[in-house]
Amino acid sequence: MEGIQHRTVRANGINIHLMEKGEGPIILFLHGFPKFCYSWRHQIHSLASLDYRVVAPDLRGYEDSNAPTDINSYTYFNVVSDIIRVLDAIGADKVFVVGHDWEALIAWNLLLFQPNRVTCS
């Protein structure tokens, strides 16, 4: 995965792994169940080549991110809060957001809870 950076950020009390590449407006990809950020590798390369910064985290409980043991840690409030803290950690004020499968619900809730963090232009 040439040129894709991997890093871990502290977000909402847990470690979140993410992949990122490129410079420019940020596109945030949220993977579906049971996948993880690697599933976006082709889109990351393609959109980074078009002058976007593309970020794809492993969500709470997936792959290289922490997996809290308490089932109550997996509410929409917690997962959306993770995403907001990831945006803070990477210095992103606003992002384009793409959610796949169950994580589309996270994208919708991000827009519902924090509409000022999402852009469409």
Side-chain angles (χ1 to χ4, degrees), residues 19-91:
M19 295 170 42
E20 64 183 323
K21 183 177 181 179
E23 299 291 330
I26 299 173
I27 301 173
L28 176 70
F29 281 106
L30 303 176
H31 61 77
F33 176 82
K35 300 182 188 243
F36 56 102
C37 66
Y38 181 77
S39 63
W40 295 111
R41 66 196 178 282
H42 301 296
Q43 291 85 355
I44 291 171
H45 285 297
S46 294
L47 291 166
S49 73
L50 298 173
D51 297 324
Y52 287 97
R53 180 178 173 195
V54 186
V55 177
D58 284 331
L59 298 177
R60 160 184 298 249
Y62 289 89
E63 198 62 19
D64 291 329
S65 291
N66 288 155
T69 56
D70 182 4
I71 195 166
N72 294 318
S73 298
Y74 293 88
T75 67
Y76 288 122
F77 295 110
N78 286 320
V79 180
V80 171
S81 183
D82 294 347
I83 298 304
I84 293 165
R85 296 300 157 245
V86 165
L87 298 181
D88 293 342
I90 65 170

Side-chain angles (χ1 to χ4, degrees), residues 95-114:
V95 296
F96 296 96
V97 63
V98 178
H100 176 257
D101 194 42
W102 284 102
E103 277 60 22
L105 297 170
I106 302 303
W108 299 336
N109 279 287
L110 174 62
L111 183 58
L112 179 66
F113 299 147
Q114 292 285 312

